[in-house]
Amino acid sequence: PGISTLIAKGVYDAAFPLHDVSVSHEVLFEEWAKYSAFYKYQPIDLVRKYFGEKIGLYFAWLGVYTQLLIPASIVGIIVFGYGVATVDTNIPSLEMCDERLNFTMCPLCDGACDYWHLSTACGTARASHLFDNPATVFFAIFMSLWAVLFLEQWKRRQISLSFSWDLTGIEEDEEHPRPKYETILLEKRQRKRQQKKKKKKKKNELTWKDRLPGYFMNISSILFMFGLTFSAVFGVIVYRITISALMAMSPDPETKSNVRVTVTATAVIINLVVILILDEIYGAVALWLTELEIPKTETNFEERLILKAFLLKFMNAYAPIFYVAFFKGRFAGRPGSYVYVFNDYRMEECAPGGCLIELCIQLSIIMLGKQLIQNNIFEIGIPKLKKLIHALKEKETTQKEKDEERPPKQWNLDYALAPFEGLTPEYMEMIIQFGFVSLFVASFPLAPLFALLNNVIEIRLDARKFVTELRRPVTARAKDIGIWYNILSGMGKLSVIINAFVISFTSDFVPRLVYQYMYSQTGTMHGFIDHTLSFFNVSNFKPGTAPHSSDQGDITVCRYKDYREPPWSSDAYQFSKQYWSVLSARLAFVILFQNLVMFLSLMVAWVIPDVPKTIVEQLKREKKLLVDLFLQEEKEKFQLIQSLFVKPNSQSPTAGQFWTSLCPESLGSRLLGNNRFAGGVDF
């Protein structure tokens, strides 16, 4: 605490323990920090011994997470393989690709766009089936249970490590206040002395009034950041709408045919760049806002920082994905009554094959882009650049100083390394990845595979960074991973809800079931595409919105994807009975899916005990030895008392009577009745 205060006041530049250039450091480098050791288990005990329990728990947690990604990746590959194997036999995609059905679709934009045939979207339909098939529902249920299994497995691993590292009885030590807190408290006392109030009261803590400006700034700044995130998403939406309209006006038929692919790909890349930039801004803003709150201890500071950073980065990373999953195409309107942005541009619609394929593209590019760019540039390139700049500055020292420091001392070598800035960035990166793997996995079954490949490298990358790139951090004891477990648990529960809505409202799984069992004449999927397309009389186009140069003058009716009454009905263009049937089925599926998964999750948590059997047995043995020791001590005390107070050949009570008189209750019942392990194990 004293050193921290002096560093905060600028008396010292830095303070850190030196790297121990010994066998432990060499073993860590050879067996843990090398990329060639990716297939080896981590030497967690040695990591804990060298860096402390807090860092040891992080790498243990990362190892458990990476190991459990293996079965998730295998199941994801199988689900994707099922989609590939059945794409040629999928009736809805075959109907979309069948030119003989000749579905004439309404224009995708006003004026410049012409009517088009649904068969031209054949590629999109086939690609959609790879991710939108019956196996996707099974995979969503599996991944929701996988998240519960991961948390249960980590609890068991954490208890095992706590037992082997002797952390079971650790108590939270009273932390020293942070230097900034002490400084502000001292300034407050000095102001009170100067004001010379009637009663001199020395408060040992800052009150809520002292923190009120910081709280106000926090709330307003977080709301502003949310607005900034939504503005960025809206800006990309406007980009998509305007570029789609401009490309549709192009005379080049090749450009017209690739409008959707080009716009989707470029918009996702823009989203990725914006997310990466805002991530860095939000990290700095979260740190600044936490400082304004003036937390008393480092633990309070860290927890508040984590919550703010997670909240901002969660919204930043997932806002574009939420838009595609739940909002895109929902408010576009219908032919003759479209919704417009800035009175000129129509709100964008989903692709003919549905929005799930676009959600898959969005998720995959953002996930892979964040992992590749953050790992290669932020975690490797930036530290090396800082090290190079520091080395160039060191070359400016005088020759005399160089001569005096030959060979360089270990503290000079370690001072040239980057300072350790905590585990929050490391955890945050993995937690956001966990969200990609669990929240929207129904749209991208290969997400666990890419996460696994990333983490195999990430473990060695982090290990190399800790061993060779960073100053050795001060060891810190910890019983668990702290608030991160609560965040993981919350995201696991949120994943059930989001996957239920993705399958129900974003994919065509529920409409297909409704059609097959309620409206199909043959009980098969034949005629499904025609069932999902409504009719529109082209004479009902608003002035100026009909195609200007249509070469299909004999067209009187075009089709669009929706469940609405035809123009010849008395309730023309109103939602049809099929719409309400599908909506009811969607809501029923959400309820059924959530309750089923929650029940199965509770079953998994109940079946898997928190305390491993080996730990239970070891605790029983320890308790037995403890009781035997107590009994032996009491026996020796009794014998000593008997030898002192009982004369030979005299009429005296028996040993049992004497013991009973001293101890009315059985010693065994005393010792065993109150000896319980916190985990629920009784001896």
Side-chain angles (χ1 to χ4, degrees):
I3 286 293
S4 301
T5 304
L6 292 173
I7 292 174
K9 293 181 178 180
V11 178
Y12 290 107
D13 186 24
F16 48 86
L18 300 180
H19 276 290
D20 184 10
V21 186
S22 62
V23 176
S24 297
H25 189 272
E26 186 65 25
V27 170
L28 284 175
F29 181 78
E30 293 293 333
E31 300 295 325
W32 184 52
K34 279 192 172 181
Y35 296 112
S36 58
F38 71 91
Y39 60 92
K40 297 181 180 180
Y41 284 103
Q42 299 183 85
I44 293 297
D45 289 329
L46 188 58
V47 173
R48 170 251 179 176
K49 181 180 177 182
Y50 191 82
F51 290 109
E53 284 81 3
K54 195 170 185 178
I55 293 176
L57 283 172
Y58 163 70
F59 282 103
W61 172 83
L62 184 56
V64 171
Y65 172 46
T66 304
Q67 284 179 345
L68 285 179
L69 280 173
I70 296 174
S73 302
I74 294 172
V75 176
I77 292 172
I78 293 172
V79 170
F80 181 74
Y82 171 82
V84 174
T86 57
V87 67
D88 291 326
T89 58
N90 181 50
I91 295 174
S93 59
L94 290 175
E95 287 186 347
M96 284 189 67
C97 296
D98 192 351
E99 297 182 1
R100 295 170 298 177
L101 295 177
N102 196 28
F103 292 117
T104 303
M105 306 298 294
C106 296
L108 295 175
C109 65
D110 294 340
C113 297
D114 202 350
Y115 302 103
W116 57 286
H117 293 291
L118 187 61
S119 58
T120 58
C122 177
T124 305
R126 291 172 63 86
S128 295
H129 177 72
L130 300 178
F131 306 99
D132 188 4
N133 55 69
T136 304
V137 181
F138 160 76
F139 190 59
I141 296 174
F142 172 81
M143 288 304 295
S144 298
L145 297 178
W146 173 87
V148 177
L149 179 65
F150 163 56
L151 293 175
E152 292 298 319
Q153 183 65 19
W154 169 243
K155 278 198 290 188
R156 289 168 58 85
R157 175 66 168 154
Q158 188 170 259
I159 290 174
S160 299
L161 291 175
S162 297
F163 183 78
S164 61
W165 292 353
D166 194 25
L167 299 173
T168 52
I170 186 176
E171 296 182 358
E172 296 292 340
D173 297 329
E174 185 177 354
E175 291 187 70
H176 293 277
R178 299 175 65 245
K180 186 168 183 179
Y181 178 89
E182 289 183 322
T183 302
I184 295 176
L185 184 59
L186 180 61
E187 291 174 353
K188 179 182 176 181
R189 288 175 179 170
Q190 289 175 347
R191 285 197 304 269
K192 287 204 170 188
R193 289 195 194 101
Q194 291 172 359
Q195 291 171 1
K196 295 181 180 180
K197 291 194 172 182
K198 295 179 180 179
K199 292 183 179 180
K200 295 182 179 179
K201 293 181 180 180
K202 291 185 178 180
K203 292 187 178 180
N204 295 323
E205 292 184 355
L206 298 178
T207 63
W208 64 270
K209 293 181 180 179
D210 299 311
R211 295 188 172 95
L212 186 60
Y215 289 149
F216 177 77
M217 184 63 71
N218 267 262
I219 295 172
S220 57
S221 298
I222 289 174
L223 291 177
F224 174 76
M225 294 302 164
F226 281 175
L228 182 62
T229 301
F230 295 143
S231 299
V233 174
F234 182 72
V236 175
I237 294 171
V238 172
Y239 164 82
R240 294 165 66 113
I241 294 171
T242 53
I243 297 300
S244 298
L246 292 174
M247 291 184 68
M249 297 177 187
S250 173
D252 184 11
E254 187 70 21
T255 303
K256 283 187 175 183
S257 62
N258 295 325
V259 169
R260 199 174 291 275
V261 176
T262 304
V263 171
T264 300
T266 54
V268 172
I269 292 173
I270 293 172
N271 267 325
L272 174 61
V273 173
V274 171
I275 287 172
L276 293 175
I277 294 173
L278 290 181
D279 253 1
E280 297 303 308
I281 296 174
Y282 288 167
V285 169
L287 181 62
W288 174 65
L289 292 176
T290 309
E291 290 284 2
L292 290 178
E293 287 187 7
I294 325 172
K296 184 175 181 180
T297 63
E298 286 295 339
T299 301
N300 290 338
F301 179 85
E302 186 178 12
E303 289 181 352
R304 296 184 184 196
L305 174 62
I306 288 170
L307 284 175
K308 289 181 188 62
F310 172 74
L311 193 60
L312 292 172
K313 294 191 176 187
F314 180 90
M315 292 297 299
N316 183 41
Y318 300 123
I321 301 173
F322 270 99
Y323 164 72
V324 175
F326 303 120
F327 296 99
K328 185 177 180 182
R330 307 275 184 244
F331 310 102
R334 60 167 180 83
S337 181
Y338 285 115
V339 177
Y340 291 85
V341 179
F342 304 130
N343 297 324
D344 291 321
Y345 301 105
R346 268 168 46 181
M347 285 292 292
E348 54 184 348
E349 304 173 55
C350 289
C355 271
L356 198 70
I357 183 63
E358 294 188 43
L359 178 61
C360 173
I361 295 172
Q362 185 101 5
L363 178 64
S364 59
I365 292 180
I366 291 177
M367 177 181 174
L368 297 177
K370 275 180 67 68
Q371 291 182 165
L372 292 174
I373 295 176
Q374 284 186 336
N375 285 355
N376 294 324
I377 296 179
F378 295 161
E379 290 200 27
I380 298 177
I382 292 180
K384 288 190 177 296
L385 181 62
K386 289 181 178 178
K387 192 175 179 180
L388 177 62
I389 293 173
H390 190 275
L392 293 174
K393 289 182 179 179
E394 287 295 316
K395 287 184 179 180
E396 297 176 0
T397 57
T398 62
Q399 187 64 36
K400 182 179 179 180
E401 291 175 341
K402 291 182 180 179
D403 293 338
E404 288 177 354
E405 296 182 3
R406 254 186 223 162
K409 302 296 184 182
Q410 184 63 38
W411 53 80
N412 296 113
L413 297 175
D414 284 8
Y415 183 70
L417 301 176
F420 174 69
E421 296 178 352
L423 290 171
T424 300
E426 312 299 335
Y427 273 114
M428 189 67 69
E429 181 184 347
M430 291 296 103
I431 295 294
I432 296 296
Q433 184 202 82
F434 180 79
F436 287 127
V437 169
S438 59
L439 295 181
F440 297 94
V441 74
S443 65
F444 189 41
L446 296 180
L449 175 63
F450 289 110
L452 173 64
L453 296 176
N454 173 79
N455 288 7
V456 169
I457 301 172
E458 179 72 21
I459 290 175
R460 308 303 160 180
L461 178 67
D462 285 347
R464 193 177 189 88
K465 183 168 65 176
F466 273 84
V467 173
T468 63
E469 300 289 339
L470 297 178
R471 296 172 188 166
R472 186 177 179 180
V474 178
T475 57
R477 302 200 82 189
K479 294 189 297 184
D480 48 41
I481 61 175
I483 197 173
W484 294 111
Y485 182 85
N486 297 329
I487 293 175
L488 283 169
S489 179
M491 292 185 74
K493 292 179 175 62
L494 183 62
S495 69
V496 178
I497 301 172
I498 290 180
N499 279 311
F501 276 93
V502 167
I503 294 171
S504 184
F505 286 91
T506 309
S507 77
D508 281 338
F509 175 76
V510 173
R512 288 171 184 172
L513 286 180
V514 172
Y515 173 77
Q516 185 173 358
Y517 293 104
M518 290 184 63
Y519 298 103
S520 175
Q521 300 293 328
T522 59
T524 64
M525 292 303 298
H526 289 286
F528 172 72
I529 297 299
D530 185 46
H531 177 75
T532 60
L533 298 178
S534 298
F535 293 89
F536 178 74
N537 191 333
V538 298
S539 62
N540 296 136
F541 274 123
K542 289 183 177 180
T545 61
H548 296 323
S549 58
S550 175
D551 56 355
Q552 303 177 19
D554 56 342
I555 293 177
T556 58
V557 174
C558 63
R559 311 292 294 273
Y560 61 99
K561 190 172 182 178
D562 207 345
Y563 292 101
R564 292 181 181 270
E565 296 290 346
W568 52 84
S569 170
S570 58
D571 296 323
Y573 305 127
Q574 298 298 313
F575 288 120
S576 63
K577 293 180 180 179
Q578 290 89 336
Y579 171 84
W580 299 111
S581 299
V582 171
L583 180 61
S584 301
R586 290 184 194 271
L587 296 175
F589 177 83
V590 169
I591 296 172
L592 177 64
F593 182 92
Q594 290 182 13
N595 285 280
L596 174 63
V597 174
M598 288 296 184
F599 173 74
L600 294 176
S601 300
L602 291 174
M603 289 293 295
V604 170
W606 178 73
V607 168
I608 301 175
D610 291 346
V611 184
K613 188 176 180 180
T614 55
I615 303 297
V616 173
E617 296 296 329
Q618 182 67 20
L619 289 168
K620 285 183 177 180
R621 286 195 296 269
E622 287 186 359
K623 290 174 184 178
K624 185 177 184 303
L625 291 173
L626 182 63
V627 172
D628 290 342
L629 178 62
F630 286 160
L631 289 173
Q632 182 65 29
E633 288 180 352
E634 294 298 328
K635 183 179 179 181
E636 291 175 358
K637 290 179 183 178
F638 169 70
Q639 290 174 349
L640 179 61
I641 294 172
Q642 190 177 36
S643 64
L644 292 174
F645 295 100
V646 180
K647 296 181 180 180
N649 300 324
S650 64
Q651 299 250 337
S652 62
T654 63
Q657 293 170 340
F658 180 75
W659 183 257
T660 306
S661 66
L662 290 177
C663 304
E665 295 179 352
S666 169
L667 174 64
S669 64
R670 275 192 190 173
L671 292 174
L672 300 181
N674 298 320
N675 189 17
R676 292 178 178 271
F677 174 59
V681 181
D682 294 340
F683 175 71

